[in-house]
């Protein structure tokens, strides 16, 4: 008898550290994992959050972006019940958040701080055991999962050493292991890959991607490439205000600029550049290593992809190469920030 | 809760904070009877040519010497060891990390207090037993009942000071602020104790517990004399814990 689908599925995921047992409630319960309405937080002489609204869908990977000091960590701390909001409503896993109250949702949530810390004097293995015990993990499962995680994150050799002696990257890996250990329904990750080397980053991002549909991941990051790779929805905040809350593809369509590299016959370069500059949907044309770099106006990416090449051919230009430069979130992000700053200056 | 208590024990044991306090107390438990027993020989050795006659120490003096040293130096060491109990974890972010898990704020504080009180109670009674037995073997047997009562006075007073340090560590931002303010209180309360020791107010003052250690061992005071200071100190301890817990449960972490 051959191996069943379930077995193969489990084996496959275990090798990437996502156990098949990790079902959470993400797929079973519809609705939002987090809802934030009119969230405002004032510190003395400083407004950290101002009427912020957003929703995090269950089973989604939700990026939370913003420059340093935008209010990301403050919002996360409010969601976790660590600090009170000045006003606004927060609902986590169906439970209204009330500062100072008892929250059952914490049993289904696990949080990774920006700089993971562990109680003084504990070894890596003991820190994971502490987390497992706090979440009341089954004794049999606990040891097996801890061993597996330590191995996956290449911490098995250092497991007996005190966490205080770990490098920042090792502490971050241990922090991620501590989050995955409890197989939570909602993972709140504050800059989860900031201290990791490329290999560590790759592994963590792979895990996050595989969690889609199995758990909800709400994570803040300033590495926009990573966010673009793994998220299906993002919220951007700056200076305490929400600037955007959209699906990643919507965002790229709305804000990202399309770039094309066009190579033409050398004697037609000037003519081609002039022709392209005359189009209303083109923002700029610049020579780039013997080619022409054509940048669309925001929101006109589809027009440029449809009209640029046929237009050039129609005008008698011999096009020898026509390639798309990758559109990325980074440009969209900075564009949104610029627009926001521009509006503030105008005001 | 047990998980947090074990974590607290492990952390404090490995950071050598509680062992340091216990070693200091044990040091006095062993050294004081020895010093008093051989005081004449020590003076003969170091002060040659000067004739000094020191009367033989009594067993009560020896045990009181140990209790007095612990009530001064031991308590100061304890303040240093406990001033970061919560403040240090708040500073490093461990408190926030733990409270983002299914751990209540009262639970978090209770685990720390439980370990702190257990170390003080077990450590001081154990070291007092060592001091008692050592005094008995070197000098003579101090009165057992009075020794237990005097040790109880010391334990309750030490818990009182430890609770003040703990509360300040919870409410203030840094361990240094907590330690500094407790030290200030410790010295000022000592001075205030001298001023009110002969008045009726002494009955309601925690430092009276320390003043009672000598009369209890001399048998010029009885267990009844320590009733009010003991009750008042315990009430202060409970109030401090309650107020600290209430404040902490609504504190921004």
């Amino acid at each position: 008898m051959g191996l069943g689908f379930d077995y193969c599925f489990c084996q496959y995921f275990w090798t990437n550290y996502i156990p098949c047992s990790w079902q959470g409630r993400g797929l079973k319960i519809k609705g939002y994992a987090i809802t934030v309405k009119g969230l405002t937080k004032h510190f003395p002489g400083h407004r950290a959050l101002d009427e912020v609204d957003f929703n995090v869908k269950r089973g989604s990977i939700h990026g939370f972006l913003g420059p340093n000091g935008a209010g990301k960590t403050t919002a996360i701390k409010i969601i976790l019940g660590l600090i009170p909001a000045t006003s606004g409503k927060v609902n986590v896993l169906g439970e209204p958040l009330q500062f100072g109250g008892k929250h059952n949702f914490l049993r289904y949530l696990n949080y990774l701080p920006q700089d993971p810390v562990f109680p003084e004097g504990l070894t890596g293995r003991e820190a994971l055991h502490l987390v497992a015990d706090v979440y009341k993990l089954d004794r049999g499962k606990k040891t097996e999962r801890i061993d597996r995680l330590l191995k996956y994150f290449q911490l098995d050799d250092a497991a007996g050493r005190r966490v205080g002696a770990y490098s920042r990257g090792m502490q971050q890996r241990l922090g991620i292991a501590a989050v995955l250990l409890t197989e939570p329904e909602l993972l709140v990750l504050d800059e989860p890959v900031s201290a990791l080397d490329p290999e560590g980053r790759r592994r963590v991002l792979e895990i996050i991607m595989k969690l889609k549909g199995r758990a909800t991941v709400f994570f803040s990051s300033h590495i926009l490439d990573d966010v673009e790779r793994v998220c299906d929805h993002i919220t951007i905040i700056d200076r305490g205000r929400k600037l955007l809350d959209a699906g990643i593809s919507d965002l790229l369509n709305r804000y990202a600029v399309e770039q094309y590299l066009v190579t033409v016959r050398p004697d037609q370069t000037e003519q081609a550049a002039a022709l392209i500059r005359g189009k209303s949907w083109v923002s700029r044309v610049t020579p780039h290593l013997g080619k022409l770099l054509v940048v669309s106006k925001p929101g006109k990416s589809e027009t440029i992809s449809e009209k640029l090449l046929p237009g050039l051919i129609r005008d008698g230009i011999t096009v020898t190469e026509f390639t798309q430069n990758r559109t990325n979130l980074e440009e969209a992000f900075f564009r949104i920030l610029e627009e926001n700053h521009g509006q503030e200056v105008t005001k | 809760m047990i998980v947090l208590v074990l974590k607290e024990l492990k952390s404090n044991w490995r950071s050598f904070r509680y062992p340091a306090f216990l070693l200091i107390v044990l040091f006095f438990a062993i050294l004081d009877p020895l010093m008093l027993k051989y005081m004449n020989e020590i003076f003969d050795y170091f002060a040659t040519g000067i004739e000094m006659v020191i009367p033989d120490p009594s067993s009560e003096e020896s045990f009181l010497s140990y209790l007095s040293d612990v009530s001064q130096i031991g308590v100061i060491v304890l303040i240093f060891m406990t001033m970061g109990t919560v403040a240090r974890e708040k500073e490093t972010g461990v408190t926030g990390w733990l409270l983002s898990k299914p751990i209540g704020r009262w639970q978090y504080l209770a685990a720390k207090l439980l370990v702190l009180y257990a170390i003080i109670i077990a450590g001081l009674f154990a070291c007092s037993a060592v001091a008692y037995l050592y005094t008995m073997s070197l000098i003579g047997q101090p009165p057992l009942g009075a020794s237990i009562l005097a040790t109880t006075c010391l334990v309750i007073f030490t818990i009182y000071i430890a609770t003040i340090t703990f509360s300040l560590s919870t409410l203030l931002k840094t361990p240094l602020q907590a330690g500094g303010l407790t030290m200030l209180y410790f010295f000022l309360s000592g001075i205030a104790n001298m001023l009110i020791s002969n008045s009726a107010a002494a009955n309601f003052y925690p430092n009276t517990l320390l003043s009672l250690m000598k009369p209890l061992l001399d048998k010029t005071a009885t267990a009844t004399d320590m009733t009010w200071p003991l009750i008042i100190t315990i009430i202060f301890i409970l109030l401090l814990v309650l107020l600290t817990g209430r404040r902490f449960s609504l504190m921004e972490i």
Side-chain angles (χ1 to χ4, degrees):
Chain A
M1 205 173 90
L3 293 170
F5 168 76
D6 283 349
Y7 176 83
C8 300
F9 185 71
C10 289
Q11 286 302 307
Y12 169 73
F13 275 111
W14 263 120
T15 54
N16 294 284
Y17 186 67
I18 307 293
C20 56
S21 60
W22 192 333
Q23 289 167 354
R25 293 188 293 177
L27 290 175
K28 292 177 190 162
I29 298 173
K30 305 289 175 202
Y32 295 111
I34 303 173
T35 56
V36 172
K37 271 187 192 162
L39 187 63
T40 302
K41 175 69 185 172
H42 293 175
F43 289 114
H46 166 60
R47 189 184 290 178
L49 293 171
D50 186 12
E51 296 283 332
V52 173
D53 300 301
F54 64 86
N55 295 319
V56 179
K57 253 190 197 162
R58 288 193 194 237
S60 70
I61 315 286
H62 193 113
F64 194 42
L65 305 183
N68 288 339
K72 300 189 296 285
T73 302
T74 303
I76 288 176
K77 281 187 167 183
I78 292 174
I79 289 167
L80 295 170
L82 294 176
I83 60 172
T86 306
S87 64
K89 283 182 182 171
V90 177
N91 205 295
V92 186
L93 296 174
E95 198 182 321
L97 185 81
Q98 200 178 2
F99 181 72
K102 197 185 171 198
H103 297 119
N104 283 324
F105 68 76
L106 291 174
R107 288 166 55 208
Y108 309 104
L109 179 156
N110 208 334
Y111 162 61
L112 173 75
Q114 192 170 354
D115 294 305
V117 281
F118 296 92
E120 192 183 9
L122 298 191
T123 65
R125 187 180 294 278
E126 284 169 346
L128 293 183
H129 273 277
L130 171 69
V131 174
D133 292 338
V134 164
Y135 282 86
K136 297 190 170 82
L137 238 64
D138 182 76
R139 189 169 287 191
K141 278 183 196 166
K142 181 174 81 173
T143 316
E144 188 198 349
R145 280 190 201 171
I146 288 172
D147 287 342
R148 214 182 280 272
L149 279 164
L150 285 170
K151 198 166 182 184
Y152 183 76
F153 284 105
Q154 297 164 336
L155 289 167
D156 41 349
D157 289 340
R161 272 167 39 205
R162 291 193 191 180
V163 182
Y166 281 19
S167 69
R168 201 172 159 237
M170 286 165 83
Q171 286 188 5
Q172 195 153 37
R173 275 184 277 152
L174 185 69
I176 294 161
V179 170
L180 297 173
L181 173 66
T182 59
E183 297 181 3
E185 186 180 331
L186 173 60
L187 293 85
V188 179
L189 314 173
D190 196 357
E191 304 277 2
V193 291
S194 58
L196 298 182
D197 58 20
E199 169 61 11
R201 226 174 94 187
R202 188 187 61 80
R203 280 176 180 236
V204 172
L205 292 175
E206 265 179 17
I207 287 175
I208 292 175
M209 279 194 278
K210 290 200 173 85
L211 284 173
K212 194 174 174 180
R214 295 171 160 252
T216 310
V217 183
F218 179 65
F219 86 101
S220 79
S221 178
H222 63 266
I223 305 172
L224 300 168
D225 263 0
D226 295 346
V227 174
E228 194 180 346
R229 262 180 73 193
V230 302
C231 290
D232 37 31
H233 202 98
I234 66 163
T235 299
I236 299 179
I237 63 166
D238 184 27
R239 299 177 196 187
R241 286 190 300 145
K242 185 186 84 177
L243 303 186
L244 183 119
D245 184 28
I248 204 111
S249 48
D250 290 349
L251 170 77
L252 293 178
N253 281 340
R254 268 166 63 191
Y255 285 94
V257 286
E258 202 89 343
Q259 295 185 350
Y260 283 89
L261 279 172
V262 184
T263 313
V264 297
R265 227 173 55 205
D267 60 305
Q268 289 183 319
T269 308
E270 287 300 314
Q271 189 195 348
L275 275 170
I276 298 168
R277 263 187 212 109
K279 308 290 182 194
S280 61
W281 26 266
V282 171
S283 154
R284 65 174 196 274
V285 183
T286 42
H288 179 76
L289 304 171
K291 298 171 183 178
L292 292 171
L293 177 70
V294 184
V295 182
S296 78
K297 281 186 177 166
K300 299 287 183 187
S301 55
E302 281 180 25
T303 315
I304 201 170
S305 66
E306 284 167 12
K307 294 186 176 173
L308 182 60
L309 184 60
L312 286 172
I313 294 167
R314 207 171 36 242
D315 290 333
I317 305 290
T318 309
V319 180
T320 55
E321 191 188 347
F322 186 84
T323 49
Q324 189 184 17
N325 246 15
R326 212 173 73 84
T327 306
N328 63 33
L329 179 62
E330 195 168 318
E331 291 195 39
F333 177 73
F334 287 118
R335 188 150 218 111
I336 291 162
L337 290 187
E338 268 170 30
E339 274 179 15
N340 179 49
H341 292 173
Q343 280 168 9
E344 281 185 0
V345 170
T346 314
K347 275 181 195 170
Chain B
M1 185 71 168
I2 295 167
V3 177
L4 291 176
V5 168
L6 289 176
K7 166 247 152 197
E8 200 58 30
L9 264 174
K10 236 179 242 177
S11 286
N12 282 295
W13 198 259
R14 290 193 183 154
S15 61
F16 205 66
R17 275 190 283 276
Y18 290 152
F21 167 68
L22 294 178
L23 279 176
I24 293 284
V25 178
L26 191 65
F27 172 78
F28 289 123
I30 293 169
L31 192 78
D32 280 349
L34 203 67
M35 284 271 284
L36 283 178
K37 166 79 179 168
Y38 296 107
M39 192 57 85
N40 278 323
E41 285 80 351
I42 293 167
F43 273 125
D44 284 347
Y45 184 80
F46 286 107
T48 44
I50 303 167
E51 197 172 325
M52 266 197 239
V53 179
I54 296 168
D56 285 341
S58 66
S59 59
E60 289 85 356
E61 278 172 350
S62 168
F63 195 71
L64 182 67
S65 167
Y66 150 75
L67 291 177
S68 304
D69 283 343
V70 174
S71 72
Q72 299 297 315
I73 299 163
V75 168
I76 289 171
V77 170
L78 186 71
I79 291 171
F80 280 114
M81 297 302 141
T82 52
M83 66 188 193
T85 311
V86 179
R88 192 182 305 105
E89 288 197 347
K90 278 196 298 180
E91 242 180 358
T92 55
V94 171
T95 307
W97 181 73
L98 284 170
L99 295 180
S100 72
K101 313 216 169 306
I103 294 172
R105 293 193 177 205
W106 279 97
Q107 237 181 329
Y108 170 80
L109 289 188
K112 286 182 176 294
L113 274 175
L114 208 69
V115 172
L116 178 63
Y117 290 170
I119 293 284
I120 292 172
I121 294 168
L124 286 184
F125 274 111
C127 290
S128 288
V130 171
Y132 185 87
L133 293 171
Y134 206 47
T135 301
M136 200 165 79
S137 68
L138 284 177
I139 300 164
Q141 186 178 7
L144 181 63
S147 299
I148 293 172
L149 287 178
T151 302
T152 306
C153 286
L154 174 69
V155 168
I156 299 298
F157 181 78
T158 310
I159 287 179
Y160 171 66
I161 295 292
T163 309
I164 292 175
T165 320
F166 182 84
S167 297
L168 291 172
S169 179
T170 307
L171 303 175
L172 299 175
K173 277 187 178 168
T174 65
L176 212 63
Q177 289 171 339
L181 270 179
T182 316
M183 288 290 281
L184 189 70
Y185 171 80
F186 184 56
F187 286 116
L188 292 179
S189 69
I191 293 167
N193 188 43
M194 285 192 279
L195 298 175
I196 63 163
S197 58
N198 291 323
S199 68
N203 273 337
F204 306 98
Y205 196 56
N207 287 51
T208 304
L209 288 172
L210 296 185
S211 314
L212 276 172
M213 292 190 307
K214 187 176 185 305
L216 280 169
L217 284 166
D218 288 349
K219 293 194 174 165
T220 52
T222 60
T224 322
D225 296 313
M226 54 186 273
T227 312
W228 274 112
L230 201 69
I231 290 171
I232 294 294
T233 310
I234 291 171
I235 289 172
F236 277 157
I237 292 169
L238 291 174
L239 271 176
L240 269 171
V241 170
L242 277 174
L243 292 174
T244 306
R246 272 183 71 93
R247 179 73 194 90
F248 183 69
S249 61
L250 294 171
M251 193 182 256
E252 296 198 354
I253 302 295

